[in-house]
Amino acid sequence: MECEPIPDINGRTLCPCDQFPFARVARGHQPADMKLFPRILLAGTVLAATSSLFAKTLIHAGRLIDGQADTARRNVTIVVAGDRIESVADGFTTPAAGDTVIDLKTSTVLPGLMDMHVHLDGQQSADSYTEGFYLNPGDYALRASFYAKKTLLAGFTTVRNLGDTDYSTVALRKAINAGWVDGPRVYTAGPAIGTTGSHADPTNGYSDEVINLLPHTSTFNGADAGRAVVREHVKHGVNLIKIMTTGGVLSLGDSAQGAQMTQDEAKAVVEAAHEYGLKVAVHAHGSEGMKRAILAGADSIEHGTFMSDEVIALMKEHGTYYIPTLSAGNFVMGKAKIPGFLPPSVAAKALLVGPQMIATFQRAYQSGVKIALGTDQGVAPHGENAKEFVYMVEAGLPPMKAIQSATLEGAKLLGVEKDLGTVTAGKFADLVAVPGDPLADISLMTKVSFVMKAGVVYKQ
């Protein structure tokens, strides 16, 4: 086939088909300059790559709970482009060439779930009080990666890790972000902070010899020392600060209710954290410790077991979040009845705290305190986080409110509601699905069958 030669922009005389490589092939014509032929192959490769780049994932959801609306939508298409949600539309959209369709027409799709209180580098067992003598920092980090994957596959795509050993979950966060291991988005506080002899003191209740051997890098005394500990945590790359203002259940040598941080100390720690742009989560079972933390400006109260009416009023006034951790309460209450599983002093506290947690939760919800879901997993087994939905609903929280506590409310507490927490165009494509309707049967939240984080499917 003959073509009339024309000059190109470089002054060469070429067949016009040489200006348009695909036309040459279509016309069965050999290029005037055979050196240009590889450009045809390159152009085809680029076209294929471009087609793949713009391919989208269409999720056909039979039911959508978007994390914000008080009712579910039926028959919805969620379009995912890259790591973000591009659109949410009624009906089942027909895919374009190259698109992927995920059929969830018999399921309920929800935003990726959020647990605001976990401890990924450990899990309570009969050996918990001695394992620290055998494990190295690397052991904790590797164990955290194992539990992180279980958490992700349970549908929890974002967590706050409120206390670890030797900053193990800072290393975990780096590994997940680098793609070395699978896990949720991790916002970590590093080791919990408290005063000497407090629930945060790792040597609390041990012998003098052990106390003298082990370091106390996260304990302090006095306001200035509290600021210094916060700054040390900042240096290690934490996302938030966790403090202990009362005793705890699982520590050996203290009362769960007693206050363990002065007003000045609490204020100094919270102010230092906020100056660095970090929020503060507060372990507190007793009312006085809660009161001091709230007045200091803390962002959330964890457990809140013996919350008084005064504390409830203060939480509402200051907008402080409440993280109930009913899973932990139920777990330790059950294990306290097994001889030898918990030390006697711990078992006694567990039997006191467990039942009270449920009553406090009911009062706090009915009073209008802001609630975000948190389990304290690492006490109860990792991967069973969704049991918290069942406990909250059994205690009187409507199923939709329970789901919102683990989606939009969690995102608000973290300060990431622009990117996470609801199924909305422009937000990260963190999506999960359960079979059937969890509003009719909340236990379905424990049967997550589909998990996507940032557009990547981890479970289907």
Side-chain angles (χ1 to χ4, degrees), residues 64-343:
L64 171 65
I65 295 175
D66 66 10
Q68 187 167 5
D70 289 331
T71 57
R73 293 168 62 176
R74 298 298 299 268
N75 299 339
V76 174
T77 297
I78 305 162
V79 178
V80 175
D83 61 359
R84 300 268 178 171
I85 298 170
E86 182 179 272
S87 63
V88 182
D90 292 330
F92 298 135
T93 304
T94 302
D99 288 348
T100 299
V101 175
I102 297 175
D103 186 353
L104 296 174
K105 293 176 183 175
T106 62
S107 302
T108 298
V109 175
L110 310 98
L113 304 174
M114 298 183 173
D115 191 331
M116 293 294 100
H117 192 133
V118 300
H119 300 278
L120 288 172
D121 68 350
Q123 186 164 289
Q124 191 69 28
S125 72
D127 298 324
S128 292
Y129 292 93
T130 57
E131 67 179 17
F133 295 103
Y134 308 104
L135 298 180
N136 293 308
D139 298 321
Y140 286 99
L142 287 169
R143 185 165 66 177
S145 70
F146 173 73
Y147 289 137
K149 185 170 184 178
K150 292 188 72 171
T151 301
L152 176 65
L153 295 181
F156 287 80
T157 56
T158 300
V159 300
R160 283 194 316 171
N161 200 91
L162 298 187
D164 66 17
T165 299
D166 294 318
Y167 299 97
S168 63
T169 56
V170 174
L172 172 68
R173 184 192 65 205
K174 292 177 182 177
I176 292 172
N177 292 344
W180 300 337
V181 298
D182 294 339
R185 302 173 191 277
V186 175
Y187 294 82
T188 178
I193 296 172
T195 53
T196 299
S198 72
H199 186 55
D201 190 333
T203 63
N204 186 1
Y206 285 94
S207 70
D208 290 346
E209 184 177 5
V210 172
I211 289 172
N212 292 330
L213 284 173
L214 296 180
H216 311 76
T217 56
S218 294
T219 59
F220 72 95
N221 296 289
D224 287 342
R227 294 186 184 95
V229 174
V230 170
R231 291 164 184 162
E232 183 70 19
H233 277 54
V234 170
K235 183 174 72 174
H236 282 276
V238 301
N239 302 106
L240 68 150
I241 296 295
K242 161 76 173 299
I243 64 174
M244 312 282 209
T245 61
T246 78
V249 174
L250 296 176
S251 49
L252 295 173
D254 57 12
S255 162
Q257 297 189 53
Q260 295 182 345
M261 193 175 291
T262 69
Q263 186 67 66
D264 287 344
E265 289 171 333
K267 183 178 179 181
V269 170
V270 173
E271 284 182 348
H274 287 175
E275 285 171 356
Y276 283 96
L278 304 182
K279 294 194 175 187
V280 179
V282 182
H283 160 101
H285 288 286
S287 272
E288 182 59 31
M290 289 182 236
K291 179 179 175 180
R292 294 177 189 180
I294 296 165
L295 292 175
D299 299 282
S300 67
I301 297 294
E302 317 295 312
H303 316 304
T305 306
F306 298 98
M307 189 182 296
S308 65
D309 290 340
E310 180 186 14
V311 167
I312 287 175
L314 284 172
M315 292 182 75
K316 292 175 65 177
E317 177 185 346
H318 291 264
T320 313
Y321 269 91
Y322 165 45
I323 316 300
T325 67
L326 301 182
S327 294
N330 277 277
F331 181 83
V332 297
M333 189 166 49
K335 296 303 181 184
K337 299 172 185 177
I338 301 175
F341 189 92
L342 296 173

